[in-house]
Amino acid sequence: MRSAFVQSRVRVCTSVSKGTGWSAAKVTYVMRLTMALRARAVMSGSSAGSARPAQILYRPLFWTSFMLADWIIDNAWLGARTAVLSSASSKTAYGAAFLLQGRGCEVVGLTSRRNVAFTESLGCYDRVLAYEDASRLSPEPSLYADFAGDEALTAALRAHLGDALVHHVVVGVTNQQPGPAGTLAETGPGMFFAPDQMRKRIGDWGREGLDRRFADAWRRFAPVVEGWVDVVHSQGPQALKQVWHEVQSGRTAPRTGHVLVL
């Protein structure tokens, strides 16, 4: 049987293309490479059938979390004193927050009001704010790691922080509304591309050194996240269809992790 996993957020390829100025071909390449990395992460050390739910649900995404946190620290937080992460209840975002917390700057999570309590309970953010309360952010040098791809939120942060917004990097697109077409010069942010930082670190540490550091981070993260997720097991194409619609509509609770066998 083939194992399948469904994340609690959906990334929209067309939004990435329009929001960054990337060609459709480049977006397709990025998606294929990302899926290859995820498959490698899930299968590493065990078969799909024997993998623990935390490994299936988190380990593939944790590569992005790990490389993003490493990139931010490697670049001295890009001059920021605060790192602001949107879609803070998503697995990739709080994986990065887990690695960033206590490393020199404040880590603030932005999420929907209904997910504030859950996100606060994780304990990996120094502060958690609802999107509507983003104006409570201190006007100090800030890095915005954009997991949401919500243009209205981005505009609100730019208006509030002004020149204090020292860097804006797009990591994901959990918002389901595609943005207008634009170029990088027009939209401002760059797209975080984990393999670029991986190549740099392989040059710095070698492949074994990178894998060892990732494994060390995963060993710290994995036991903690088992208490952050309620795993729901399902089987068959009909279950996959039902879960897909549930996730796409935004009805899935942030604690829920779906693992399906087809």
Side-chain angles (χ1 to χ4, degrees), residues 17-38:
S17 178
K18 291 178 180 179
T20 63
W22 286 8
S23 67
K26 185 169 185 178
V27 173
T28 300
Y29 166 74
V30 170
M31 290 183 69
R32 287 176 176 173
L33 182 56
T34 300
M35 291 307 297
L37 288 170
R38 290 179 177 181

Side-chain angles (χ1 to χ4, degrees), residues 198-209:
M198 290 178 72
R199 280 192 292 270
K200 180 183 184 301
R201 285 314 200 184
I202 289 171
D204 294 340
W205 303 328
R207 182 70 214 205
E208 289 185 2

